[in-house]
Coordinates of all heavy atoms in Angstrom, one line a residue:
N1 N -24.2 -7.8 -5.8 CA -24.3 -7.1 -4.5 C -23.0 -7.3 -3.7 O -22.7 -8.5 -3.4 CB -25.5 -7.5 -3.8 CG -25.8 -6.8 -2.5 OD1 -24.9 -6.0 -2.0 ND2 -26.9 -7.0 -1.9
P2 N -22.3 -6.3 -3.4 CA -21.0 -6.5 -2.6 C -21.3 -6.9 -1.2 O -20.3 -7.3 -0.5 CB -20.4 -5.1 -2.7 CG -21.5 -4.1 -3.0 CD -22.5 -4.9 -3.7
F3 N -22.5 -6.8 -0.7 CA -22.8 -7.1 0.7 C -23.3 -8.5 0.7 O -24.4 -8.8 1.2 CB -23.8 -6.1 1.3 CG -23.3 -4.7 1.2 CD1 -23.8 -3.8 0.3 CD2 -22.3 -4.3 2.1 CE1 -23.3 -2.5 0.3 CE2 -21.8 -3.0 2.0 CZ -22.3 -2.1 1.1
T4 N -22.5 -9.5 0.3 CA -22.8 -10.9 0.2 C -21.6 -11.7 0.8 O -20.5 -11.4 0.4 CB -23.0 -11.3 -1.3 OG1 -24.1 -10.5 -1.8 CG2 -23.5 -12.8 -1.4
K5 N -21.9 -12.6 1.6 CA -20.9 -13.5 2.1 C -20.6 -14.6 1.1 O -21.6 -15.2 0.6 CB -21.3 -14.1 3.5 CG -21.3 -13.2 4.6 CD -19.9 -12.9 5.1 CE -20.0 -12.0 6.3 NZ -18.7 -11.5 6.7
I6 N -19.4 -14.7 0.7 CA -19.0 -15.8 -0.3 C -17.8 -16.5 0.2 O -17.0 -16.0 1.0 CB -18.9 -15.2 -1.7 CG1 -17.8 -14.1 -1.8 CG2 -20.2 -14.6 -2.2 CD1 -17.5 -13.6 -3.2
K7 N -17.5 -17.7 -0.4 CA -16.4 -18.5 -0.1 C -15.1 -17.8 -0.6 O -15.1 -17.1 -1.6 CB -16.5 -19.9 -0.6 CG -17.7 -20.6 0.0 CD -17.8 -22.0 -0.6 CE -18.9 -22.8 0.0 NZ -19.1 -24.1 -0.5
E8 N -14.0 -18.2 0.1 CA -12.7 -17.5 -0.2 C -12.3 -17.8 -1.7 O -11.7 -17.0 -2.3 CB -11.7 -18.0 0.8 CG -10.4 -17.2 0.7 CD -9.5 -17.4 1.9 OE1 -10.0 -17.6 3.0 OE2 -8.3 -17.3 1.7
D9 N -12.6 -19.0 -2.2 CA -12.2 -19.3 -3.6 C -12.9 -18.4 -4.6 O -12.3 -18.0 -5.6 CB -12.3 -20.8 -3.9 CG -13.7 -21.3 -3.8 OD1 -14.5 -20.7 -3.0 OD2 -14.1 -22.3 -4.4
K10 N -14.1 -18.1 -4.3 CA -14.9 -17.2 -5.2 C -14.3 -15.8 -5.1 O -14.2 -15.0 -6.1 CB -16.3 -17.2 -4.9 CG -17.0 -18.5 -5.3 CD -18.2 -18.2 -6.1 CE -18.9 -19.5 -6.4 NZ -19.6 -19.5 -7.6
I11 N -13.9 -15.4 -3.9 CA -13.4 -14.1 -3.7 C -12.1 -13.9 -4.5 O -11.8 -12.9 -5.1 CB -13.1 -13.8 -2.2 CG1 -14.4 -13.6 -1.4 CG2 -12.2 -12.5 -2.0 CD1 -14.2 -13.5 0.1
E12 N -11.3 -15.0 -4.5 CA -10.1 -15.0 -5.3 C -10.3 -14.8 -6.8 O -9.6 -14.1 -7.5 CB -9.3 -16.3 -5.1 CG -8.0 -16.4 -5.8 CD -6.9 -15.4 -5.2 OE1 -7.1 -15.0 -4.0 OE2 -6.0 -15.0 -5.9
I13 N -11.4 -15.4 -7.3 CA -11.8 -15.3 -8.7 C -12.2 -13.8 -9.0 O -11.7 -13.2 -10.0 CB -13.0 -16.2 -9.1 CG1 -12.5 -17.7 -9.0 CG2 -13.6 -15.8 -10.4 CD1 -13.6 -18.7 -9.1
Y14 N -13.0 -13.2 -8.1 CA -13.3 -11.8 -8.3 C -12.1 -10.9 -8.2 O -12.0 -9.9 -8.9 CB -14.4 -11.4 -7.2 CG -15.8 -12.0 -7.5 CD1 -16.4 -12.8 -6.6 CD2 -16.4 -11.7 -8.7 CE1 -17.6 -13.3 -6.8 CE2 -17.7 -12.2 -8.9 CZ -18.3 -13.0 -8.0 OH -19.5 -13.5 -8.2
R15 N -11.2 -11.3 -7.3 CA -10.0 -10.5 -7.2 C -9.2 -10.5 -8.5 O -8.7 -9.4 -8.9 CB -9.1 -11.0 -6.0 CG -7.8 -10.3 -5.8 CD -7.0 -10.9 -4.6 NE -5.9 -10.1 -4.2 CZ -4.8 -10.0 -4.9 NH1 -4.6 -10.7 -5.9 NH2 -3.8 -9.3 -4.4
N16 N -9.0 -11.7 -9.0 CA -8.2 -11.8 -10.3 C -8.9 -11.0 -11.4 O -8.2 -10.4 -12.2 CB -8.0 -13.2 -10.6 CG -7.1 -13.9 -9.7 OD1 -6.3 -13.3 -9.0 ND2 -7.2 -15.3 -9.6
L17 N -10.2 -11.1 -11.5 CA -10.9 -10.4 -12.6 C -10.8 -8.9 -12.4 O -10.6 -8.2 -13.3 CB -12.4 -10.8 -12.6 CG -12.7 -12.2 -13.1 CD1 -14.2 -12.6 -12.8 CD2 -12.4 -12.3 -14.5
T18 N -10.9 -8.5 -11.1 CA -10.8 -7.0 -10.9 C -9.4 -6.5 -11.2 O -9.3 -5.4 -11.8 CB -11.1 -6.8 -9.4 OG1 -12.4 -7.2 -9.1 CG2 -10.9 -5.3 -9.0
L19 N -8.4 -7.3 -10.9 CA -7.0 -6.8 -11.2 C -6.7 -6.9 -12.7 O -5.8 -6.2 -13.2 CB -6.0 -7.6 -10.4 CG -6.1 -7.3 -8.9 CD1 -5.1 -8.2 -8.1 CD2 -5.9 -5.8 -8.5
L20 N -7.4 -7.8 -13.4 CA -7.3 -7.8 -14.9 C -7.9 -6.6 -15.6 O -7.4 -6.1 -16.6 CB -8.0 -9.1 -15.4 CG -7.1 -10.3 -15.6 CD1 -8.0 -11.5 -15.9 CD2 -6.1 -10.1 -16.7
T21 N -9.0 -6.1 -15.0 CA -9.7 -5.0 -15.6 C -9.9 -4.0 -14.4 O -11.0 -3.8 -14.0 CB -11.0 -5.3 -16.2 OG1 -11.8 -6.0 -15.3 CG2 -10.8 -6.2 -17.4
P22 N -8.9 -3.3 -14.0 CA -9.0 -2.4 -12.8 C -9.6 -1.1 -13.1 O -9.1 0.0 -12.8 CB -7.5 -2.3 -12.4 CG -6.8 -2.3 -13.7 CD -7.5 -3.3 -14.5
S23 N -10.9 -1.1 -13.5 CA -11.6 0.2 -13.7 C -11.9 0.7 -12.2 O -11.9 -0.1 -11.3 CB -12.9 0.0 -14.4 OG -13.8 -0.8 -13.7
K24 N -12.2 1.9 -12.1 CA -12.5 2.5 -10.8 C -13.7 1.8 -10.2 O -13.8 1.5 -9.0 CB -12.8 4.0 -11.0 CG -12.9 4.8 -9.7 CD -13.1 6.2 -10.1 CE -13.1 7.1 -8.9 NZ -13.3 8.5 -9.3
Y25 N -14.7 1.5 -11.1 CA -15.9 0.9 -10.6 C -15.6 -0.5 -10.1 O -16.0 -0.9 -9.0 CB -16.9 0.8 -11.8 CG -18.2 0.1 -11.5 CD1 -19.2 0.8 -10.9 CD2 -18.4 -1.2 -11.8 CE1 -20.4 0.1 -10.6 CE2 -19.6 -1.9 -11.6 CZ -20.6 -1.2 -11.0 OH -21.8 -1.8 -10.7
N26 N -14.8 -1.3 -10.9 CA -14.5 -2.7 -10.5 C -13.7 -2.7 -9.2 O -14.0 -3.5 -8.3 CB -13.8 -3.4 -11.6 CG -14.6 -3.8 -12.8 OD1 -15.8 -3.7 -12.7 ND2 -14.0 -4.1 -13.9
L27 N -12.7 -1.8 -9.1 CA -11.9 -1.8 -7.9 C -12.8 -1.4 -6.6 O -12.6 -2.0 -5.6 CB -10.8 -0.7 -8.0 CG -9.7 -1.1 -9.0 CD1 -8.8 0.1 -9.3 CD2 -8.8 -2.2 -8.3
Y28 N -13.7 -0.5 -6.8 CA -14.5 -0.1 -5.7 C -15.5 -1.2 -5.3 O -15.6 -1.5 -4.1 CB -15.3 1.2 -6.1 CG -16.2 1.6 -4.9 CD1 -15.7 2.3 -3.8 CD2 -17.6 1.4 -4.9 CE1 -16.5 2.7 -2.8 CE2 -18.4 1.8 -3.9 CZ -17.8 2.4 -2.8 OH -18.6 2.8 -1.7
K29 N -16.1 -1.8 -6.2 CA -17.0 -2.9 -5.9 C -16.3 -4.1 -5.3 O -16.8 -4.7 -4.3 CB -17.7 -3.4 -7.2 CG -18.6 -2.4 -7.9 CD -19.6 -1.8 -7.0 CE -20.8 -2.7 -7.1 NZ -21.9 -2.3 -6.3
Y30 N -15.1 -4.4 -5.8 CA -14.3 -5.5 -5.2 C -13.9 -5.1 -3.7 O -13.9 -5.9 -2.8 CB -13.1 -5.9 -6.0 CG -12.4 -7.0 -5.3 CD1 -12.9 -8.3 -5.2 CD2 -11.2 -6.7 -4.6 CE1 -12.2 -9.3 -4.5 CE2 -10.5 -7.7 -3.9 CZ -11.0 -9.0 -3.8 OH -10.4 -9.9 -3.1
A31 N -13.5 -3.9 -3.5 CA -13.1 -3.4 -2.2 C -14.3 -3.6 -1.2 O -14.0 -4.0 -0.1 CB -12.7 -1.9 -2.3
Q32 N -15.5 -3.3 -1.7 CA -16.6 -3.5 -0.8 C -16.8 -5.0 -0.5 O -17.0 -5.4 0.7 CB -17.9 -3.0 -1.5 CG -18.0 -1.5 -1.4 CD -19.4 -1.0 -2.0 OE1 -19.7 -1.4 -3.1 NE2 -20.1 -0.2 -1.2
L33 N -16.7 -5.8 -1.5 CA -16.9 -7.3 -1.3 C -15.8 -7.8 -0.4 O -16.1 -8.6 0.5 CB -16.9 -8.0 -2.7 CG -17.0 -9.5 -2.7 CD1 -18.4 -9.8 -2.4 CD2 -16.6 -10.1 -4.0
A34 N -14.6 -7.4 -0.6 CA -13.5 -7.9 0.2 C -13.7 -7.5 1.6 O -13.5 -8.3 2.5 CB -12.2 -7.4 -0.4
E35 N -14.0 -6.2 1.8 CA -14.2 -5.7 3.2 C -15.3 -6.4 3.9 O -15.1 -6.8 5.1 CB -14.4 -4.2 3.2 CG -14.5 -3.5 4.5 CD -13.2 -3.5 5.2 OE1 -12.1 -3.5 4.6 OE2 -13.2 -3.5 6.5
Y36 N -16.4 -6.6 3.2 CA -17.5 -7.3 3.8 C -17.2 -8.8 4.2 O -17.7 -9.3 5.2 CB -18.7 -7.3 2.9 CG -20.0 -7.8 3.5 CD1 -20.7 -7.0 4.4 CD2 -20.5 -9.0 3.2 CE1 -21.9 -7.4 5.0 CE2 -21.7 -9.5 3.8 CZ -22.4 -8.7 4.7 OH -23.5 -9.1 5.3
N37 N -16.3 -9.4 3.4 CA -15.9 -10.8 3.7 C -14.6 -10.9 4.5 O -14.0 -12.0 4.5 CB -15.8 -11.5 2.3 CG -17.2 -11.8 1.8 OD1 -17.8 -12.8 2.2 ND2 -17.7 -11.0 0.9
G38 N -14.2 -9.8 5.1 CA -13.1 -9.9 6.0 C -11.7 -9.9 5.3 O -10.7 -10.1 6.0
Q39 N -11.6 -9.6 4.1 CA -10.4 -9.5 3.3 C -9.9 -8.0 3.4 O -9.9 -7.3 2.3 CB -10.6 -9.9 1.9 CG -11.1 -11.3 1.8 CD -10.1 -12.4 2.1 OE1 -8.9 -12.2 1.9 NE2 -10.6 -13.5 2.7
H40 N -9.6 -7.5 4.5 CA -9.3 -6.1 4.8 C -8.1 -5.6 4.0 O -8.1 -4.5 3.5 CB -9.1 -5.8 6.2 CG -10.2 -6.3 7.1 ND1 -11.5 -5.8 7.0 CD2 -10.3 -7.3 8.0 CE1 -12.3 -6.5 7.8 NE2 -11.6 -7.4 8.4
E41 N -7.0 -6.4 3.8 CA -5.9 -6.0 3.1 C -6.2 -5.8 1.6 O -5.7 -4.9 1.0 CB -4.7 -7.0 3.3 CG -4.1 -6.9 4.7 CD -3.6 -5.6 5.1 OE1 -2.9 -4.9 4.3 OE2 -3.9 -5.1 6.3
D42 N -7.0 -6.7 1.1 CA -7.4 -6.6 -0.3 C -8.2 -5.3 -0.6 O -8.0 -4.6 -1.5 CB -8.2 -7.8 -0.8 CG -7.4 -8.9 -1.3 OD1 -6.2 -8.8 -1.4 OD2 -8.0 -10.0 -1.7
A43 N -9.1 -5.0 0.4 CA -9.9 -3.8 0.3 C -9.0 -2.6 0.3 O -9.2 -1.7 -0.5 CB -10.9 -3.8 1.4
K44 N -8.1 -2.5 1.2 CA -7.2 -1.4 1.3 C -6.3 -1.2 0.1 O -6.1 -0.1 -0.4 CB -6.2 -1.6 2.5 CG -6.9 -1.3 3.9 CD -5.8 -1.5 4.9 CE -6.4 -1.5 6.3 NZ -5.4 -1.7 7.4
Y45 N -5.9 -2.4 -0.5 CA -5.1 -2.3 -1.7 C -5.9 -1.7 -2.9 O -5.4 -0.9 -3.7 CB -4.6 -3.7 -2.1 CG -3.7 -3.7 -3.3 CD1 -2.5 -3.1 -3.3 CD2 -4.1 -4.4 -4.5 CE1 -1.7 -3.1 -4.5 CE2 -3.3 -4.4 -5.6 CZ -2.1 -3.7 -5.6 OH -1.3 -3.7 -6.7
C46 N -7.2 -2.1 -3.0 CA -8.1 -1.6 -4.0 C -8.3 -0.1 -3.9 O -8.2 0.7 -4.8 CB -9.4 -2.3 -4.0 SG -9.3 -3.9 -4.7
L47 N -8.4 0.4 -2.6 CA -8.6 1.8 -2.4 C -7.3 2.5 -2.7 O -7.3 3.7 -3.3 CB -9.0 2.1 -0.9 CG -10.3 1.5 -0.5 CD1 -10.6 1.9 0.9 CD2 -11.4 2.0 -1.4
F48 N -6.1 1.9 -2.4 CA -4.8 2.5 -2.8 C -4.8 2.6 -4.3 O -4.3 3.7 -4.9 CB -3.7 1.6 -2.3 CG -2.4 1.9 -2.9 CD1 -1.6 3.0 -2.4 CD2 -1.8 1.1 -3.9 CE1 -0.4 3.3 -3.0 CE2 -0.6 1.4 -4.4 CZ 0.1 2.5 -4.0
L49 N -5.2 1.6 -5.1 CA -5.2 1.6 -6.5 C -6.1 2.7 -7.1 O -5.7 3.5 -8.0 CB -5.5 0.3 -7.2 CG -4.5 -0.8 -7.0 CD1 -5.0 -2.1 -7.5 CD2 -3.2 -0.5 -7.7
I50 N -7.3 2.9 -6.5 CA -8.2 3.9 -6.9 C -7.5 5.3 -6.7 O -7.6 6.2 -7.6 CB -9.5 3.9 -6.1 CG1 -10.3 2.6 -6.5 CG2 -10.3 5.1 -6.3 CD1 -11.5 2.3 -5.7
K51 N -6.9 5.5 -5.6 CA -6.2 6.7 -5.3 C -5.0 7.0 -6.3 O -4.9 8.1 -6.8 CB -5.7 6.8 -3.8 CG -5.1 8.1 -3.4 CD -4.7 8.1 -2.0 CE -4.2 9.4 -1.5 NZ -4.1 9.5 -0.1
R52 N -4.2 6.0 -6.5 CA -3.1 6.2 -7.4 C -3.4 6.3 -8.9 O -2.9 7.2 -9.6 CB -2.1 5.0 -7.2 CG -1.5 4.9 -5.9 CD -0.5 6.0 -5.7 NE 0.7 5.7 -6.5 CZ 1.8 6.3 -6.5 NH1 2.0 7.2 -5.6 NH2 2.8 5.9 -7.3
I53 N -4.3 5.4 -9.3 CA -4.6 5.4 -10.8 C -5.6 6.5 -11.1 O -5.5 7.2 -12.1 CB -5.2 4.1 -11.2 CG1 -4.2 3.0 -11.0 CG2 -5.7 4.1 -12.6 CD1 -4.7 1.6 -11.1
Y54 N -6.7 6.7 -10.3 CA -7.8 7.6 -10.7 C -7.8 8.9 -9.8 O -8.7 9.7 -10.0 CB -9.1 6.9 -10.5 CG -9.2 5.7 -11.4 CD1 -9.0 4.4 -10.9 CD2 -9.3 5.8 -12.8 CE1 -9.0 3.3 -11.8 CE2 -9.3 4.8 -13.7 CZ -9.2 3.5 -13.1 OH -9.2 2.4 -14.0
K55 N -6.8 9.1 -9.0 CA -6.7 10.3 -8.2 C -7.9 10.6 -7.4 O -8.4 11.8 -7.4 CB -6.3 11.5 -9.1 CG -5.1 11.3 -10.0 CD -3.8 11.2 -9.3 CE -2.7 11.2 -10.2 NZ -1.9 10.0 -10.3
S56 N -8.5 9.6 -6.8 CA -9.8 9.7 -6.1 C -9.7 9.1 -4.7 O -9.2 7.9 -4.6 CB -10.9 9.1 -6.9 OG -12.1 9.2 -6.3
D57 N -10.1 9.8 -3.7 CA -10.0 9.2 -2.4 C -11.4 8.6 -2.0 O -12.4 9.3 -2.2 CB -9.7 10.3 -1.3 CG -8.2 10.5 -1.1 OD1 -7.5 9.5 -1.3 OD2 -7.8 11.6 -0.8
V58 N -11.4 7.4 -1.4 CA -12.6 6.8 -0.8 C -12.2 6.5 0.6 O -11.2 5.8 0.9 CB -13.0 5.6 -1.6 CG1 -14.2 4.9 -0.9 CG2 -13.3 5.9 -3.1
N59 N -13.0 6.9 1.5 CA -12.8 6.7 2.9 C -13.1 5.2 3.2 O -14.2 4.7 2.9 CB -13.7 7.5 3.8 CG -13.5 7.4 5.2 OD1 -12.9 6.4 5.7 ND2 -14.0 8.3 6.0
P60 N -12.1 4.4 3.7 CA -12.4 3.0 4.0 C -13.6 2.8 4.9 O -14.2 1.7 4.8 CB -11.1 2.5 4.7 CG -10.1 3.6 4.4 CD -10.8 4.8 4.1
D61 N -13.9 3.7 5.8 CA -15.0 3.6 6.7 C -16.3 3.6 5.9 O -17.4 3.1 6.4 CB -15.0 4.6 7.7 CG -13.8 4.6 8.6 OD1 -13.3 3.4 8.8 OD2 -13.4 5.6 9.2
D62 N -16.3 4.1 4.7 CA -17.6 4.2 3.9 C -17.9 2.9 3.1 O -19.0 2.8 2.6 CB -17.5 5.4 2.9 CG -17.5 6.7 3.6 OD1 -18.1 6.8 4.7 OD2 -17.0 7.7 3.0
L63 N -16.9 2.0 3.0 CA -17.1 0.8 2.2 C -18.4 0.0 2.6 O -19.0 -0.5 1.8 CB -15.9 -0.1 2.2 CG -14.7 0.4 1.4 CD1 -13.5 -0.5 1.6 CD2 -15.1 0.5 -0.1
L64 N -18.6 -0.1 3.9 CA -19.7 -0.9 4.4 C -20.9 -0.2 4.7 O -21.9 -0.8 5.2 CB -19.2 -1.7 5.6 CG -18.1 -2.7 5.3 CD1 -17.7 -3.4 6.6 CD2 -18.4 -3.7 4.2
K65 N -21.0 1.1 4.3 CA -22.2 1.8 4.6 C -23.1 1.7 3.3 O -22.8 2.1 2.2 CB -21.9 3.3 4.8 CG -21.2 3.6 6.1 CD -20.8 5.0 6.3 CE -20.1 5.2 7.5 NZ -19.6 6.6 7.7
Y66 N -24.3 1.1 3.5 CA -25.2 0.9 2.4 C -25.6 2.2 1.7 O -25.7 2.3 0.5 CB -26.4 0.1 2.8 CG -27.3 -0.2 1.6 CD1 -26.9 -1.2 0.7 CD2 -28.5 0.5 1.4 CE1 -27.7 -1.4 -0.4 CE2 -29.3 0.2 0.3 CZ -28.9 -0.7 -0.6 OH -29.7 -1.0 -1.7
S67 N -25.8 3.2 2.5 CA -26.2 4.5 1.9 C -25.1 5.1 1.0 O -25.4 5.6 0.0 CB -26.6 5.5 3.0 OG -25.5 5.8 3.8
F68 N -23.9 4.9 1.4 CA -22.8 5.4 0.6 C -22.7 4.6 -0.7 O -22.5 5.1 -1.8 CB -21.4 5.2 1.4 CG -20.3 5.8 0.6 CD1 -20.0 7.1 0.7 CD2 -19.5 4.9 -0.1 CE1 -18.9 7.6 0.0 CE2 -18.4 5.5 -0.8 CZ -18.1 6.8 -0.8
Y69 N -22.9 3.3 -0.6 CA -22.9 2.4 -1.7 C -24.0 2.8 -2.7 O -23.8 2.9 -3.9 CB -23.1 0.9 -1.3 CG -23.6 0.0 -2.3 CD1 -22.8 -0.4 -3.4 CD2 -25.0 -0.4 -2.3 CE1 -23.3 -1.3 -4.3 CE2 -25.4 -1.3 -3.3 CZ -24.6 -1.7 -4.3 OH -25.1 -2.6 -5.3
K70 N -25.2 3.0 -2.1 CA -26.4 3.4 -3.0 C -26.1 4.7 -3.7 O -26.4 4.9 -4.9 CB -27.6 3.5 -2.1 CG -28.9 3.5 -2.8 CD -30.0 3.3 -1.9 CE -31.0 4.4 -1.9 NZ -32.0 4.4 -1.0
D71 N -25.6 5.7 -3.0 CA -25.3 7.0 -3.6 C -24.3 6.9 -4.6 O -24.4 7.6 -5.7 CB -24.9 8.0 -2.5 CG -26.0 8.3 -1.5 OD1 -27.1 8.1 -1.8 OD2 -25.6 8.9 -0.4
H72 N -23.2 6.1 -4.4 CA -22.1 6.1 -5.4 C -22.3 5.0 -6.5 O -21.6 5.1 -7.5 CB -20.8 5.9 -4.6 CG -20.4 7.1 -3.9 ND1 -20.9 7.5 -2.8 CD2 -19.4 8.0 -4.3 CE1 -20.4 8.6 -2.4 NE2 -19.5 9.0 -3.3
H73 N -23.2 4.1 -6.2 CA -23.5 3.1 -7.2 C -24.0 3.7 -8.5 O -23.7 3.3 -9.6 CB -24.5 2.1 -6.7 CG -24.7 1.0 -7.6 ND1 -23.8 0.0 -8.0 CD2 -25.9 0.6 -8.3 CE1 -24.3 -0.8 -8.9 NE2 -25.6 -0.5 -9.1
V74 N -24.7 4.8 -8.4 CA -25.3 5.4 -9.6 C -24.7 6.8 -9.9 O -25.1 7.4 -10.9 CB -26.8 5.6 -9.4 CG1 -27.5 4.3 -9.3 CG2 -27.2 6.5 -8.2
S75 N -23.7 7.1 -9.1 CA -23.1 8.5 -9.4 C -22.2 8.4 -10.6 O -21.6 7.4 -11.0 CB -22.3 8.9 -8.2 OG -21.0 8.3 -8.2
T76 N -22.0 9.5 -11.2 CA -21.1 9.6 -12.4 C -19.7 9.4 -12.0 O -18.8 9.0 -12.8 CB -21.2 11.0 -13.1 OG1 -20.9 12.0 -12.2 CG2 -22.6 11.1 -13.7
D77 N -19.4 9.5 -10.7 CA -18.0 9.3 -10.2 C -17.6 7.9 -10.3 O -16.4 7.6 -10.5 CB -18.0 9.7 -8.7 CG -16.6 9.7 -8.2 OD1 -15.6 10.1 -8.9 OD2 -16.4 9.2 -7.0
L78 N -18.5 6.9 -10.3 CA -18.1 5.5 -10.4 C -18.7 4.8 -11.5 O -18.6 3.5 -11.6 CB -18.5 4.8 -9.1 CG -17.7 5.3 -7.8 CD1 -18.3 4.7 -6.6 CD2 -16.3 5.0 -8.0
K79 N -19.3 5.4 -12.5 CA -19.8 4.7 -13.7 C -18.7 4.3 -14.6 O -17.8 5.0 -14.8 CB -20.8 5.5 -14.4 CG -22.1 5.6 -13.7 CD -23.1 6.3 -14.6 CE -24.4 6.5 -13.9 NZ -25.4 7.3 -14.7
E80 N -18.8 3.1 -15.1 CA -17.7 2.6 -15.9 C -17.5 3.4 -17.2 O -16.4 3.6 -17.6 CB -18.0 1.1 -16.3 CG -17.7 0.1 -15.2 CD -17.8 -1.3 -15.7 OE1 -16.8 -1.8 -16.2 OE2 -18.8 -1.9 -15.5
H81 N -18.6 3.9 -17.8 CA -18.4 4.6 -19.1 C -17.7 5.9 -18.9 O -17.2 6.4 -19.9 CB -19.8 4.8 -19.8 CG -20.7 5.7 -19.0 ND1 -20.5 7.1 -18.9 CD2 -21.8 5.4 -18.3 CE1 -21.5 7.6 -18.2 NE2 -22.3 6.6 -17.8
D82 N -17.6 6.4 -17.7 CA -16.8 7.6 -17.5 C -15.3 7.4 -17.3 O -14.6 8.4 -17.2 CB -17.3 8.4 -16.3 CG -18.7 8.9 -16.5 OD1 -19.1 9.1 -17.7 OD2 -19.4 9.1 -15.5
L83 N -14.9 6.2 -17.2 CA -13.5 5.9 -16.9 C -12.7 5.8 -18.1 O -13.0 5.4 -19.1 CB -13.4 4.6 -16.1 CG -14.2 4.7 -14.8 CD1 -14.1 3.3 -14.1 CD2 -13.7 5.8 -13.9

């Protein structure tokens, strides 16, 4: 769940894993986690990567909206097998 407060050292682990395998899904989930935990620059960077690599815009204001997360969590737009 990206809406979880976690320690900074764990965030760094998730960041490294995300950048190792930068699927659209992983980048989006990490952006949510980073934003929720106050790592705003990391979240913006992930959205930048999504835009550059996958040609897809995500509004930064939507990252912390649970309804947006719920809608996009199961959408074909963000499923890993579609990437």
Side-chain angles (χ1 to χ4, degrees):
N1 183 350
F3 301 105
T4 304
K5 290 284 185 186
I6 59 175
K7 294 181 181 180
E8 196 166 323
D9 59 334
K10 291 234 184 206
I11 291 175
E12 184 67 23
I13 291 169
Y14 288 120
R15 181 182 190 279
N16 291 337
L17 289 171
T18 299
L19 295 177
L20 266 170
T21 56
S23 70
K24 190 176 184 181
Y25 178 84
N26 288 347
L27 288 166
Y28 181 76
K29 300 300 274 180
Y30 177 73
Q32 284 185 307
L33 180 73
E35 186 68 28
Y36 189 77
N37 282 277
Q39 305 288 327
H40 307 294
E41 291 303 314
D42 272 359
K44 285 181 189 177
Y45 183 64
C46 286
L47 296 182
F48 167 78
L49 290 176
I50 289 171
K51 185 174 185 171
R52 294 288 289 191
I53 297 169
Y54 300 104
K55 312 287 188 246
S56 178
D57 273 330
V58 176
N59 184 342
D61 296 333
D62 290 335
L63 284 177
L64 296 181
K65 293 179 182 175
Y66 182 74
S67 60
F68 184 84
Y69 159 74
K70 195 168 120 185
D71 293 343
H72 285 77
H73 182 67
V74 295
S75 80
T76 56
D77 187 40
L78 292 174
K79 284 186 182 175
E80 283 188 83
H81 65 73
D82 291 337
L83 302 177

